């Protein structure tokens, strides 16, 4: 596996490759990331991964400086997966001058749910993904469904800008107890780790109520938030939304069986976890 930090060297190395499959990461890789690499291989060749902790998507009170960086261990994992190139730019490589041009998602998608609680987050994500796509020029790119709203925003961005990159959504990779794998799980204490699967259980309970004919989604959401709060969590949201646009479903949508997804974000101790489940 070749490790490249320069955009120019990356472009030279990939010149002429027409079937590149790309997976963008912030490092601290776990089995969920590696499953994305394997899925990428089924859609293209060669597989290119990136590791870049993107300052633009961190808010002023978020964990940019303490975000776990495990570069050498990440390299070993990617080599075992047969990744062709690891693009690992420094901040100076990616942002040699202040990134004043930004990609702004529409408010009705970018400023709800995660966007409401992390202002500017999706502008930072969209901007760096657009720039990474410009550097790698992949035919396909794989993103995990755990970050459901992010996947939708990237997919819509690629479509509206007519980017020559197909966006593939990968199913969420879970531990045996149901917890969605995340780099931030490493922040959990042993007691918190034992409690963390409750988030997925709550999502399943919400999904089961909706499947069972409960049309009052706001009531189901409040109940789910209460369950988390009673167990010492600090929930930001539990929300039943339409898959097509992440807007709340109307009574008509519910009656017609519109495809739905339930999304949740909650703090357990000092660690913020997110998850979702399609209904």
């Amino acid at each position: 596996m070749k490790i490249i930090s320069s955009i120019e060297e990356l472009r030279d190395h990939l010149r002429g490759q027409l079937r590149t499959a790309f997976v963008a990461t912030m490092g601290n890789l776990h089995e969920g990331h590696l499953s994305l690499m394997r899925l990428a291989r089924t859609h293209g060749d060669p597989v290119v991964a990136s590791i870049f902790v993107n300052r633009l998507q961190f808010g002023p009170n978020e964990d940019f400086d303490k975000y776990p960086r495990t570069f050498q261990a990440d390299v070993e994992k990617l080599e075992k997966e047969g990744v062709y190139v690891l693009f690992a730019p420094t901040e100076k490589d990616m942002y040699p001058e202040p990134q004043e041009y930004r990609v702004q998602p529409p408010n009705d998608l970018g400023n709800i749910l995660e966007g409401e609680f992390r202002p500017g987050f999706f502008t930072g994500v969209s901007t760096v993904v657009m720039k990474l796509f410009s550097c790698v020029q992949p035919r396909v790119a794989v993103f995990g469904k755990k970050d459901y709203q992010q996947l939708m925003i990237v997919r819509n961005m690629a479509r509206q800008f007519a980017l020559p990159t197909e966006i593939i959504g990968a199913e969420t990779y879970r531990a045996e107890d149901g917890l969605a794998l995340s780099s931030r799980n490493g922040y959990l204490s042993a007691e918190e780790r034992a409690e963390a699967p409750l988030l997925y259980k709550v999502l399943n309970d919400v999904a089961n109520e909706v499947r069972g004919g409960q049309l009052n989604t706001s009531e189901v959401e409040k109940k789910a938030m209460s369950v988390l709060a009673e167990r010492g969590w600090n929930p930001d949201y539990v929300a039943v939304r339409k898959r097509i646009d992440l807007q709340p479903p109307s009574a008509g949508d519910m009656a017609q069986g519109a495809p739905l997804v339930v999304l949740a974000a909650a703090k357990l101790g000092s660690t913020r976890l997110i998850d979702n489940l399609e209904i």
Side-chain angles (χ1 to χ4, degrees):
M1 182 178 74
K2 190 168 181 65
I3 302 172
I4 297 174
S5 61
S6 154
I7 294 173
E8 292 75 16
E9 185 183 349
L10 179 74
R11 286 178 173 157
D12 285 344
H13 198 71
L14 294 177
R15 187 163 286 120
Q17 298 283 4
L18 302 178
R19 299 184 63 248
T20 300
F22 177 51
V23 181
T25 84
M26 293 205 300
N28 193 30
L29 303 182
H30 51 66
E31 192 61 30
H33 293 111
L34 303 182
S35 71
L36 303 184
M37 308 296 164
R38 293 169 205 142
L39 182 59
R41 177 163 289 101
T42 69
H43 288 277
D45 183 59
V47 174
V48 175
S50 68
I51 293 177
F52 180 65
V53 184
N54 175 40
R55 189 184 293 272
L56 295 187
Q57 69 195 64
F58 286 80
N61 299 314
E62 293 184 335
D63 54 0
F64 175 80
D65 289 324
K66 70 169 186 168
Y67 191 86
R69 291 159 172 85
T70 55
F71 188 75
Q72 198 49 51
D74 294 344
V75 166
E76 292 169 10
K77 290 173 182 174
L78 293 175
E79 284 178 331
K80 285 180 184 173
E81 293 299 329
V83 169
Y84 177 63
V85 168
L86 169 59
F87 180 45
T90 65
E91 282 199 277
K92 193 167 184 181
D93 289 314
M94 276 299 280
Y95 304 126
E97 58 183 288
Q99 187 69 35
E100 294 166 340
Y101 286 80
R102 306 284 179 102
V103 179
Q104 178 74 49
N107 289 338
D108 60 356
L109 183 57
N111 289 347
I112 62 172
L113 301 170
E114 283 299 281
E116 178 183 348
F117 288 92
R118 301 181 69 187
F121 172 69
F122 287 119
T123 297
V125 168
S126 301
T127 301
V128 77
V129 169
M130 178 71 91
K131 195 157 190 177
L132 286 167
F133 283 179
S134 174
C135 297
V136 178
Q137 300 180 20
R139 190 187 70 81
V140 300
V142 178
F143 290 82
K145 279 189 180 181
K146 186 181 84 71
D147 298 290
Y148 201 91
Q149 189 174 4
Q150 172 179 281
L151 170 62
M152 180 174 286
I153 285 173
V154 169
R155 185 172 274 154
N156 291 356
M157 179 184 79
R159 186 184 69 250
Q160 289 201 6
F161 280 109
L163 302 180
T165 302
E166 179 187 358
I167 308 301
I168 307 289
E171 296 300 327
T172 301
Y173 199 98
R174 299 185 180 278
E176 287 186 8
D177 58 10
L179 178 65
L181 295 199
S182 167
S183 297
R184 288 189 168 91
N185 292 353
Y187 297 151
L188 297 169
S189 69
E191 294 79 9
E192 289 166 346
R193 176 61 187 83
E195 170 71 14
L198 178 67
L199 189 61
Y200 186 50
K201 181 183 181 302
V202 164
L203 291 176
N204 277 281
D205 290 345
V206 170
N208 287 335
E209 286 206 47
V210 173
R211 289 188 192 111
Q214 171 60 272
L215 300 181
N216 188 343
T217 56
S218 63
E219 185 178 308
V220 179
E221 292 166 354
K222 284 178 190 170
K223 182 176 164 186
M225 297 265 282
S226 295
V227 169
L228 290 168
E230 286 165 8
R231 290 278 286 269
W233 295 63
N234 182 14
D236 284 341
Y237 60 83
V238 177
V240 177
R241 298 297 171 97
K242 293 183 291 181
R243 289 187 213 172
I244 191 168
D245 57 9
L246 295 189
Q247 295 302 307
S250 66
D253 293 325
M254 298 295 288
Q256 292 166 19
L260 304 174
V261 59
V262 54
L263 309 102
K267 267 192 171 180
L268 181 56
S270 61
T271 305
R272 188 172 183 275
L273 302 177
I274 67 169
D275 203 350
N276 65 80
L277 184 65
E278 291 180 330
I279 302 174

